[in-house]
Amino acid sequence: MADEEIEGGSENPQKSSGKSLMIIIVLLLLIMVGGGGFAGWYFMSAQSKPSETEEALKPEVPKFVTLEPFVISLQTQGRPRYMQIKLTLMSRDEGAVEVLKTYIPLIRNAIVNYLSQMTYKEATAKEATDQIRHNTIERVNELLTAERSTVVLDDLLITDLVVQ
């Protein structure tokens, strides 16, 4: 009878250790699922907010100022030749639009002086648009620097060009 009690008593600890093992497994699974959910939430919220370095690397939105069309008389040996060109100035600087609009008379003057020196042959050359774009950006930036402006012209768009 004493043996039976010992055997019966030893079955209870096995059942209780099985139950405690099951509880530990369930608790570990709950902790893992909760931790995974928290980690997912944390990384998703961190991705939705740009970091300071990402904001610093993000380029500024360009600002555009469209100029009135230019009609230029080209230098030529024969009959009169003309060029009509429409330009748009682009800058990424803050406050660029206001500064560029302030200097439009000076900018137009510099562009007219440059373009009126062109010959018909130069204006109709294959690389004429790139040359006009590059030289105009250079002249406008020189003008803005001479006027002590902090704005820099980043690009110049030729939106229309007719040479006849």
Side-chain angles (χ1 to χ4, degrees), residues 61-80:
V61 177
K63 286 90 176 159
F64 298 98
V65 175
T66 302
L67 301 175
E68 293 293 318
F70 294 85
V71 178
I72 305 294
S73 177
L74 298 172
Q75 295 180 6
T76 184
Q77 298 292 330
R79 66 179 217 194

Side-chain angles (χ1 to χ4, degrees), residues 35-155:
F38 175 76
W41 170 81
Y42 178 77
F43 287 117
M44 292 302 285
S45 66
Q47 282 182 342
S48 65
K49 299 176 195 171
S51 69
E52 290 177 19
T53 56
E54 288 174 350
E55 286 182 16
L57 295 176
K58 184 178 175 185
E60 292 291 323
V61 177
K63 286 90 176 159
F64 298 98
V65 175
T66 302
L67 301 175
E68 293 293 318
F70 294 85
V71 178
I72 305 294
S73 177
L74 298 172
Q75 295 180 6
T76 184
Q77 298 292 330
R79 66 179 217 194
R81 301 284 189 160
Y82 299 96
M83 173 172 54
Q84 178 182 354
I85 188 167
K86 293 181 184 176
L87 303 174
T88 301
L89 309 174
M90 184 187 97
S91 179
R92 294 186 188 278
D93 291 341
E94 283 299 317
V97 172
E98 293 79 23
V99 171
L100 291 173
K101 283 184 178 180
T102 301
Y103 289 107
I104 281 182
L106 292 172
I107 291 170
R108 285 188 62 84
N109 182 57
I111 293 171
V112 167
N113 286 339
Y114 162 63
L115 294 176
S116 64
Q117 294 174 7
M118 292 186 77
T119 64
Y120 176 74
K121 190 175 182 179
E122 290 172 334
T124 56
K126 188 176 183 179
E127 64 280 345
T129 54
D130 290 333
Q131 183 182 10
I132 291 170
R133 196 178 129 268
H134 174 74
N135 290 337
T136 305
I137 291 170
E138 191 175 285
R139 282 176 171 71
V140 171
N141 280 334
E142 286 173 2
L143 172 95
L144 293 171
T145 302
E147 292 295 320
R148 295 186 176 110
S149 172
T150 58
V151 172
V152 175
L153 193 64
D154 292 319
D155 204 353

